[in-house]
Amino acid sequence: MPPADTGASVTDRAAASPQSSPDSSPAAATDPEAGKLRPGGPGYRRMSFALFAAGVATFALLYSTQALLPAISADLGVSPDQASWTVSAATFGLALGVIPLSAVSERFGRRTLMMWSLAVAALLAMLVPFAPSLGALIALRGLQGVALAGLPASAMAFLAEEVRAKALVAAIGLFVAGNSIGGMSGRIVTGWVAQAWGWRAALAAVGVLAVVCAVVFRLLVPKARHFVSRSVGPRALARTLGSHLADPLLRRLYAIGGLFMTVFGAVYTVIGYRLVSEPFNLPQGIVGSIFVVYLVGTVSSAAAGKLVARVGRRGALYLAVGTTSTGLLLTLSDSVGAVLAGLILITAGFFAGHAVASSSVSRTAKTARAQASALYQCAYYVGSSLGGALGAAAFHAVGWDGTVLLGLAAMLGAASITLYATRKAVAERRLLHLEKAA
């Protein structure tokens, strides 16, 4: 976080610091991005693979119990809304931890924090399968969420500092794509392992995957070249957070991210219960395999940069909202094919919307990008926690229709915010045109 008495951006300070910018060539003196990573340049591929592995581990761990909820309910004798807290506790823990850990990253570095976060989260993942009760499982999952918070608290700021601005959306898209792969592989693995050996063995398998990802990340992630260490005090942190929350554009982006994640959390927390019951009666392994639709999210998030280039950021958000809403309506059908098509559209729309909103935060924030991204992640995972809890409660009370209605309400909110921004931008352009004409 920057000192309170300066308005210099992270990039500005990095360029001015001899420690943070080892490139002292004439090109670096005239172009502050000359030393940053770019597609095809040295280090970019290693950075991409490292952040991809981190993204895989984050979502595989964060949602490791989601596909197992019906099995957990049956084994522990708890209702869907009670079991859903094994997911919501992790996402809520992440939401609580992301802002404090973003401040830690300002002092000790994004790279260092990400390595420690992955290591601690992987260690906890090896303990989770041995939880003796639902309460212990929820507590361990909450701690795991706090540990994982170091990744989203640092990843966006790391990319914003180390990657050229023109490649930022694509780089963040790859990290988000790793999220989708992690979410998919975690659910598929847990589904089939749980069917054969139970849900505890399934959680152990995810723990092993997380350990592998942590090792890959440690070996591949390049050293930060543009990071400048800063001490962060509570008052300065509060001032920085207040300045970000005072920005209307950032507030809108935070709300949009939270609303998209409300839908995603609700749908994927409850869909397992819907598919193992009437009229589908699918086995646990098949339900886990349904999450292969996450591959659609990998494609849509990685392609977000091209989509923005064609239709603009607000246009991309409108498309994401429309795609997600259409998918929600399709899942009302009692046909497995229609439900699968709906999940594909929901996943594509969600990951596209998330990639656009999160990259817009990194681009909008000129100072203290780690805290700006942390606020986005906080809103995002609060949305996931609320979506999972409220979606499960709605399903327990009135069935799948209630979960879909919750999702549609969230998408209406996201569309309304984007429409407001569009009308505001049009009004500003008209005013500017009138001023030029005068």
Side-chain angles (χ1 to χ4, degrees):
M1 185 189 65
D5 58 353
T6 179
S9 69
V10 170
T11 305
D12 294 336
R13 287 191 299 274
S17 170
Q19 293 182 343
S20 62
S21 183
D23 188 354
S24 57
S25 65
T30 57
D31 180 8
E33 295 203 331
K36 291 192 173 186
L37 299 175
R38 58 180 176 80
Y44 184 86
R45 182 171 295 182
R46 289 186 58 183
M47 180 276 299
S48 298
F49 279 123
L51 269 294
F52 183 84
V56 169
T58 300
F59 259 42
L61 289 175
L62 195 62
Y63 295 101
S64 58
T65 62
Q66 199 169 58
L68 303 174
L69 292 178
I72 292 172
S73 287
D75 185 46
L76 299 181
V78 296
S79 64
D81 53 328
Q82 291 174 315
S84 71
W85 278 104
T86 63
V87 180
S88 293
T91 53
F92 189 64
L94 192 152
L96 286 178
V98 69
I99 292 176
L101 288 179
S102 73
V104 172
S105 79
E106 297 284 5
R107 176 66 180 87
F108 297 101
R110 329 293 187 196
R111 180 176 179 269
T112 300
L113 181 60
M114 287 189 287
M115 287 191 296
W116 276 104
S117 291
L118 268 179
V120 174
L123 176 61
L124 287 169
M126 303 309 294
L127 298 177
V128 165
F130 301 100
S133 64
L134 179 65
L137 179 59
I138 290 173
L140 282 171
R141 293 283 292 147
L143 290 174
Q144 199 171 45
V146 174
L148 285 170
L151 285 159
S154 303
M156 301 302 181
F158 178 81
L159 292 172
E161 290 169 353
E162 304 298 327
V163 176
R164 293 191 177 190
K166 290 184 178 179
L168 184 59
V169 173
I172 290 177
L174 284 172
F175 175 65
V176 176
N179 292 163
S180 67
I181 289 289
M184 177 198 72
S185 59
R187 289 165 172 86
I188 292 176
V189 168
T190 56
W192 286 106
V193 173
Q195 184 170 313
W197 296 290
W199 63 270
R200 294 181 186 274
L203 291 178
V206 174
V208 172
L209 173 64
V211 171
V212 171
C213 288
V215 172
V216 169
F217 180 82
R218 177 64 182 86
L219 293 175
L220 293 183
V221 65
K223 292 184 178 180
R225 302 180 65 197
H226 298 271
F227 170 73
V228 180
S229 177
R230 291 171 295 278
S231 295
V232 179
R235 291 183 180 178
L237 177 59
R239 285 195 296 269
T240 299
L241 296 177
S243 68
H244 287 321
L245 291 173
D247 186 322
L249 176 55
L250 286 176
R251 287 202 305 269
R252 292 196 293 270
L253 292 171
Y254 298 152
I256 288 172
L259 289 167
F260 267 105
M261 196 53 164
T262 297
V263 176
F264 200 69
V267 167
Y268 280 103
T269 296
V270 178
I271 192 64
Y273 289 104
R274 174 161 164 76
L275 294 177
V276 299
S277 59
E278 295 288 347
F280 305 106
N281 297 315
L282 297 180
Q284 184 70 54
I286 297 297
V287 171
S289 296
I290 291 293
F291 292 94
V292 74
V293 298
Y294 262 54
L295 286 173
V296 177
T298 305
V299 175
S300 66
S301 57
K306 293 181 180 179
L307 182 62
V308 169
R310 288 188 177 184
V311 300
R313 293 176 185 271
R314 286 186 294 274
L317 288 173
Y318 283 128
L319 287 174
V321 167
T323 302
T324 304
S325 300
T326 302
L328 285 167
L329 293 174
L330 277 175
T331 62
L332 291 170
S333 171
D334 287 338
S335 164
V336 172
V339 171
L340 180 60
L343 290 175
I344 289 173
L345 292 178
I346 291 168
T347 305
F350 162 73
F351 276 104
H354 170 42
V356 172
S358 60
S359 63
S360 297
V361 169
S362 296
R363 180 174 178 174
T364 301
K366 303 304 181 185
T367 62
R369 287 191 176 104
Q371 280 72 55
S373 294
L375 280 170
Y376 175 84
Q377 297 294 335
C378 183
Y380 177 79
Y381 286 109
V382 165
S384 177
S385 299
L386 290 176
L390 294 177
F395 179 78
H396 186 62
V398 299
W400 181 251
D401 290 2
T403 305
V404 169
L405 183 60
L406 173 67
L408 290 174
M411 285 297 89
L412 178 61
S416 299
I417 292 170
T418 307
L419 178 60
Y420 170 81
T422 300
R423 296 181 65 179
K424 187 173 184 293
V426 170
E428 290 175 350
R429 283 198 297 268
R430 286 177 179 173
L431 180 59
L432 181 60
H433 179 72
L434 291 174
E435 289 177 349
K436 287 183 177 180

